[in-house]
Amino acid sequence: MKATIFNAFALLVPAFLVACQPPARGKDYLKAHPQELAEVLKACADGTHRDAQECSNAESVKTLDQKLRSLSPAH
């Protein structure tokens, strides 16, 4: 009986923790919030950010911004 309760608890706790994480912020969101984009990029660079999808989204936004800047005429 104790083993069954322990097994159920051991399975439910990780599932609960995963379910509590917010979804990754998308590219459109990060593009519209440059301060959060900078924070995500910094955390991804130093390895403290846990969401690989969000890091990928932030890198994509950064790369697109750099490409668009390189194409715009110099002022």
Side-chain angles (χ1 to χ4, degrees):
M1 179 69 171
K2 286 184 182 181
T4 303
I5 293 171
F6 178 77
N7 288 338
F9 185 74
L11 293 173
L12 291 176
V13 169
F16 178 73
L17 293 176
V18 170
C20 290
Q21 293 181 349
R25 290 172 278 193
K27 295 174 190 174
D28 291 336
Y29 179 87
L30 291 169
K31 191 184 307 182
H33 298 87
Q35 180 65 34
E36 290 186 48
L37 173 63
E39 291 169 5
V40 171
L41 287 169
K42 182 180 180 209
C44 294
D46 67 21
T48 59
H49 200 71
R50 295 183 180 204
D51 191 332
Q53 181 62 53
E54 203 164 84
C55 288
S56 176
N57 291 345
E59 284 296 329
S60 293
V61 170
K62 175 184 163 189
T63 301
L64 178 61
D65 183 56
Q66 289 172 338
K67 287 181 180 182
L68 291 173
R69 286 176 190 259
S70 72
L71 295 174
S72 66
H75 288 70

